Amino acid sequence: MRGKILIVDDDHDMCAMLSSTLGKAGFSVTTVPSADIALHELEKRDIDVLLADINMKGMDGLELCARVVSNRPDLPVIIITAFGSMETAIAAIRAGAYDFIPKPFDTSILSLMLDRAVKYRSLSDKIEKLNKLIDGGENPYGIVGKSPVMDTVYGLIRRTADTDSYVLITGESGTGKELVAKAIHGFGGRAEGPFVAVNCSAVPETLLESEFFGYRHGAFTDAKTDKKGLFLQADGGTLFLDEIGEIPVYLQAKLLRVLESRVVRPLGDEKEIPFDTRVISATNRDIEEAVRTGTVREDFYYRLNVIQIEVPPLRLRGNDILLIADYYLSYFSSRYNKKITGINKNAMEKLLSYDWPGNVRELKNGIERAVALTNHEQILVDDLPEKIRSRAVDDHSVFGGGREALISMDELEKRYIIFVLGKTNNNKSAAARILGFDRKTLYQKLKRHNIDPKV
């Protein structure tokens, strides 16, 4: 279906002709004889484009256009005007019409105009969702946060969603890499297609090849039926490969060929089958280090890493910790049917001072535990897991405390580099990105400040 069109015209013959012609062209068409009925239809139907004649009894097309644009600025309106009437065409644009077409018109031109309007509506929807993602700090795919480091992630999601470029998502375990992949898929042009996710570390090595490529009946002893591989299961959509660093090197070479050729040969088949699948991959390893040590092929890495999105650890996201905690508090309060109004100030300070080695996954579990166990209207310090309760609230690891905090910029840089390396578990690639350096510059600064690279 090319789009849902609502036609408003009191000329029955015109409605019948347009309904038949546009229907055969692949549009879903609804016709109504007046503007009042059209407004009522818009309240109960999801429409992509409104096509209205300018001359109608009662409310005319221009007034209808102005009212629709005022209440539904996302809905494109195309006005059918009288032949050669420039004044009415200008009036239609001033009323907020997306476009106009004069009578008599070629229906093939109208079809192209409607196609553009449908795409405009689709783009408007995506922009609105992405704006909510950025401004509201939350999206339908479960990502919550407003911190500056997450703004970078949101911007990359927005810019990559409508491309088919390979994306590599990096970050520690529990940071939400799969949620980012789902957001890219959901906000992109493949949203109606399947999203197929596989954790490469969870599939036995002996089964990886048959999982990726599929097989034909009789290809091996246990092949009782044909099975589609992951690339074909995700055809028309997105294949998310989590923990790609765990794929054996021999299989990386075969996958690289499939990624380059965009065809796959199931085991036991003589034919290669083309596929149209976007591939997004993820890893919690220092992938550049894995390339240097030879556990990840360099050509495989560069094929998958056209666009890289680094998902920051929770400890670097500041007040996002409280936003996420509140999100899960609402969720689990509803799930356990408890009336919990919020988190106590002292408990908030404990949450903010904790390092969250398990990231968002650990915070989710901690809030679920607190909700399940509390007997109060607010989450208190005593409701939190012991390792969070025992964490000291103040941490002056960069500035120290009191007068001794007045240090030189050189010393401050050294302390901050050590601080970031600690927060990233000594992941040099992640630390360099946070500090705004490349790895070479980071190593130069480690040497200059006499910082042990293994710190």
Side-chain angles (χ1 to χ4, degrees):
M1 186 182 67
R2 292 167 68 179
K4 298 182 284 284
I5 315 298
L6 177 62
I7 299 174
V8 192
D9 198 331
D10 54 10
D11 184 336
H12 175 77
D13 291 337
M14 175 64 76
C15 284
M17 184 275 291
L18 288 175
S19 180
S20 174
T21 303
L22 296 177
K24 290 177 182 177
F27 293 97
S28 173
V29 180
T30 302
T31 63
V32 295
S34 72
D36 289 327
I37 297 176
L39 292 172
H40 180 69
E41 286 292 313
L42 289 176
E43 291 178 359
K44 62 180 184 178
R45 287 181 183 272
D46 180 27
I47 298 297
D48 293 317
V49 185
L50 179 69
L51 177 63
D53 189 51
I54 196 168
N55 295 313
M56 294 185 291
K57 296 176 182 177
M59 188 190 307
D60 65 18
L62 290 179
E63 186 180 349
L64 172 62
C65 177
R67 289 184 59 172
V68 169
V69 170
S70 176
N71 295 307
R72 293 278 304 276
D74 62 307
L75 180 62
V77 179
I78 297 176
I79 296 293
I80 300 173
T81 68
F83 175 73
S85 178
M86 185 57 68
E87 293 79 6
T88 55
I90 293 172
I93 298 301
R94 285 177 176 169
Y98 170 80
D99 210 338
F100 64 91
I101 186 166
K103 294 179 182 177
F105 51 80
D106 186 332
T107 53
S108 63
I109 294 175
L110 177 61
S111 291
L112 291 174
M113 189 179 290
L114 290 171
D115 273 333
R116 287 198 301 269
V118 169
K119 290 177 182 176
Y120 169 83
R121 170 76 194 285
S122 176
L123 181 61
S124 297
D125 285 346
K126 289 174 186 174
I127 290 173
E128 183 180 358
K129 288 179 181 177
L130 286 165
N131 285 337
K132 287 180 180 178
L133 166 67
I134 294 167
D135 298 334
E138 181 180 334
N139 75 76
Y141 302 96
I143 305 175
V144 179
K146 298 181 181 180
S147 60
V149 288
M150 287 305 294
D151 283 343
T152 301
V153 174
Y154 297 150
L156 286 169
I157 290 173
R158 177 174 56 190
R159 295 199 296 274
T160 60
D162 265 327
T163 74
D164 273 339
S165 298
Y166 293 99
V167 178
L168 175 63
I169 305 172
T170 56
E172 296 176 12
S173 180
T175 50
K177 297 185 289 296
E178 184 168 345
L179 296 181
V180 172
K182 286 181 177 178
I184 293 171
H185 170 78
F187 290 122
R190 296 176 176 269
E192 300 302 318
F195 179 87
V196 177
V198 58
N199 186 334
C200 299
S201 65
V203 180
E205 184 174 332
T206 54
L207 298 179
L208 273 172
E209 195 165 351
S210 62
E211 284 294 313
F212 278 119
F213 307 140
Y215 52 79
R216 295 303 185 201
H217 170 67
F220 48 87
T221 304
D222 293 327
K224 306 299 184 185
T225 60
D226 290 351
K227 180 181 178 180
K228 280 186 177 181
L230 293 168
F231 288 100
L232 294 178
Q233 289 177 37
D235 192 39
T238 301
L239 175 60
F240 175 58
L241 304 178
D242 199 7
E243 301 309 335
I244 53 138
E246 306 303 320
I247 299 174
V249 174
Y250 83 89
L251 187 54
Q252 292 175 25
K254 294 184 178 182
L255 287 174
L256 178 63
R257 181 182 178 279
V258 170
L259 295 171
E260 295 282 7
S261 65
R262 311 292 293 176
V263 295
V264 63
R265 178 184 292 172
L267 301 181
D269 199 340
E270 297 180 355
K271 296 185 300 181
E272 292 185 325
I273 304 172
F275 62 87
D276 175 28
T277 301
R278 180 178 196 171
V279 176
I280 300 176
S281 53
T283 181
N284 61 13
R285 296 175 58 183
D286 184 343
I287 194 70
E288 293 177 7
E289 183 66 25
V291 171
R292 276 191 293 276
T293 59
T295 55
V296 173
R297 289 174 57 109
E298 186 175 29
D299 50 4
F300 183 63
Y301 164 67
Y302 283 119
R303 176 69 278 177
L304 293 177
N305 189 25
V306 176
I307 299 170
Q308 184 171 350
I309 299 179
E310 174 80 22
V311 184
L314 187 56
R315 59 187 171 275
L316 298 181
R317 292 177 57 182
N319 285 338
D320 280 357
I321 293 169
L322 300 182
L323 289 175
I324 297 168
D326 187 62
Y327 175 86
Y328 285 121
L329 177 66
S330 298
Y331 173 78
F332 288 117
S333 295
S334 174
R335 178 174 168 181
Y336 290 112
N337 197 27
K338 285 191 170 184
K339 294 183 179 179
I340 302 176
T341 59
I343 302 173
N344 173 273
K345 181 177 180 293
N346 292 333
M348 287 184 184
E349 290 176 350
K350 289 290 185 181
L351 293 176
L352 288 172
S353 64
Y354 184 62
D355 273 346
W356 300 108
N359 293 295
V360 177
R361 187 181 294 122
E362 183 181 9
L363 176 57
K364 176 183 178 182
N365 291 342
I367 296 300
E368 181 177 9
R369 175 192 186 277
V371 170
L373 296 181
T374 190
N375 292 317
H376 308 94
E377 290 188 353
Q378 285 194 323
I379 299 298
L380 306 180
V381 172
D382 288 344
D383 299 317
L384 301 174
E386 193 279 331
K387 58 185 175 181
I388 300 174
R389 296 198 306 269
S390 62
R391 174 74 179 186
V393 170
D394 255 335
D395 181 4
H396 298 293
S397 56
V398 177
F399 294 100
R403 292 184 180 277
E404 67 268 30
L406 301 177
I407 57 178
S408 70
M409 287 299 295
D410 200 53
E411 177 64 20
L412 180 60
E413 181 181 64
K414 176 180 177 179
R415 291 190 186 185
Y416 189 62
I417 289 173
I418 294 172
F419 173 76
V420 172
L421 284 169
K423 291 292 187 181
T424 58
N425 292 333
N426 203 34
N427 184 319
K428 302 298 191 302
S429 298
R433 278 189 287 272
I434 292 167
L435 292 164
F437 305 151
D438 54 32
R439 282 179 64 97
K440 182 179 179 180
T441 302
L442 175 59
Y443 277 104
Q444 288 173 345
K445 288 185 178 290
L446 293 178
K447 183 177 180 180
R448 174 170 166 255
H449 291 299
N450 197 27
I451 300 172
D452 185 349
K454 298 179 182 179
V455 67

